[in-house]
Amino acid sequence: MRELAAGPGRVLSALGDRMPKGLYARSLLIIITPMVLLQAIVTYMFMEKYWQGVTARLSAATTKDIAAIVELYQQMPHDKGTTDLLQLVAQKQLALGIEFRPLEDLPPRGARPFFDILDQALSDEIRMRIGLPFWIDTVGRSDFVEIRVKLDDAVLRVFARRSQTFASNSYIYLLWMLGSSLILITVAILFLRNQIRPIQQLANAAQDFGKGRDVQNFRPRGAREVRQAASAFIEMRRRVERAFEQRTAMLNGVSHDMRTILTRFKLSLALLDESSPEYEDLQKDVDEMSRMLEAYLAFARGDAAEQAEATDIAALLEELRANAIRHGQDARVSFQGDPIVVVRPDAFRRCLTNLVSNAQRFARTIVITGVREQRYLVVTVDDDGPGVPEESREDVFKPFFRLDEARNQDHGGTGLGLAIARDIARFHGGDITLATSPLGGLRANVRIPV
């Protein structure tokens, strides 16, 4: 029973996998499929009930006229006067062209037409009403149907107009049906395109906002539901921007107060004797507090006001390599694909600089790799340092998080480098992950959409 119940589910699942993925294509399919099915049903009913019925009645009437001529010919003397009389009656009264030919074999059956409704109906009527050997041709001449009946001493050759035996005006119905369907489908396509365009614009605006780019000239359009979704997106964007502005304003105020206190500390240090044992320790504490304050402000600010623009990532990675070499590291860089990517250049430079600087403090060899894929930019920073334990690779992204023997807390570190880097990556709509490097140290993988 379970297998029987799972059967339709598998069929529906397979059908869903083959269905179009886009809303535009699916909407067209929803409109076109019922229309095509309706037209197919109507056409079938028309062909079954009307076309075949009318053709059968016309074929029966024509066959009756031919049977009457055959019966008259068989009962009357077989001379020229009889044949002339029958030809005159057939032409004047029955609208048939007849000819009595010498007795001969009937021609072989020719090619059957694609739609053989006329052949079938006419053949059935001749077999039933006349019962003599016959031959018909509905293909040779477009306006006429030729029928030959083999009599005892002659062959009756009959020419009937196609309209007498066949519902020949049915193609007009089919043309009207196809024409109206094409017009309706065209209207549906144009209408759906106008309805789908605001949805696509909303998706593009949300995607650009998620990548940290400006959303310009976007306003609610389209149907009521789409306008509601667009209005909700605009309100959400305003709230997010206000949150950034409030955070920046608050931290600017905090930084002002903290810098005031640091200035007092520096003035107090200037009055102390530099030879005293407390001076050096106090100076280190003040310098560390200054570095922490600047790093914290950079983390909180996040370069939200910077505009996104096309940036040469390959050149940026080359700058990072040159800087690492100046600091004594063995650095290598490679890049694949189109290097021009739209990012916030200063923020993205700070993101990669923090990762490379983090590697510089603990490694001798650094390998920076950039790959421009179809939808993403991936930058990988590998080093041969001590690495970070797997269980702590998410914790090191927390602001001010420190490990006892970690990569990001020594040498004057503030514990904000990786947090700032991930914050910038996520502001671009991407993320940063950590893994074990093939060099034996840490691998930092930056992946952002393009």
Side-chain angles (χ1 to χ4, degrees), residues 305-329:
E306 186 182 8
Q307 301 296 322
E309 60 184 50
T311 305
D312 190 339
I313 303 300
L316 175 58
L317 299 185
E318 186 62 30
E319 292 179 9
L320 296 176
R321 184 191 71 85
N323 183 67
I325 291 176
R326 283 196 299 268
H327 286 79
Q329 271 77 25

Side-chain angles (χ1 to χ4, degrees), residues 28-43:
L28 282 180
L29 194 63
I30 292 172
I31 292 177
I32 293 175
T33 300
M35 185 180 298
V36 171
L37 291 176
L38 177 62
Q39 296 287 22
I41 294 172
V42 171
T43 302

Side-chain angles (χ1 to χ4, degrees), residues 358-433:
N358 191 64
Q360 287 176 2
R361 289 197 294 269
F362 304 96
R364 293 293 304 168
T365 302
I366 302 174
V367 177
I368 307 173
T369 305
V371 178
R372 167 70 181 271
E373 300 175 349
Q374 184 176 2
R375 298 177 55 190
Y376 293 94
L377 168 68
V378 179
V379 179
T380 303
V381 180
D382 290 302
D383 63 57
D384 60 352
V388 172
E390 185 174 356
E391 64 273 10
S392 301
R393 287 175 183 170
E394 283 298 318
D395 294 333
V396 295
F397 287 107
K398 297 177 181 179
F400 305 108
F401 182 84
R402 293 172 180 267
L403 295 173
D404 292 340
E405 296 179 359
R407 301 159 55 94
N408 63 336
Q409 68 90 28
D410 205 359
H411 302 283
T414 62
L416 288 172
L418 292 179
I420 293 173
R422 172 172 274 189
D423 186 64
I424 294 173
R426 288 181 172 177
F427 195 76
H428 283 80
D431 203 353
I432 299 178
T433 57

Side-chain angles (χ1 to χ4, degrees), residues 190-228:
L190 295 176
F191 177 77
L192 278 177
R193 182 179 297 173
N194 290 332
Q195 296 302 310
I196 295 297
R197 187 179 293 113
I199 301 176
Q200 186 63 46
Q201 292 174 348
L202 174 59
N204 293 335
Q207 189 176 28
D208 289 341
F209 183 68
K211 294 178 181 179
R213 302 172 185 173
D214 286 338
V215 182
Q216 298 179 352
N217 301 324
F218 175 76
R219 60 185 180 86
R221 297 176 181 175
R224 180 181 59 189
E225 292 79 4
V226 180
R227 288 175 177 267
Q228 290 176 349

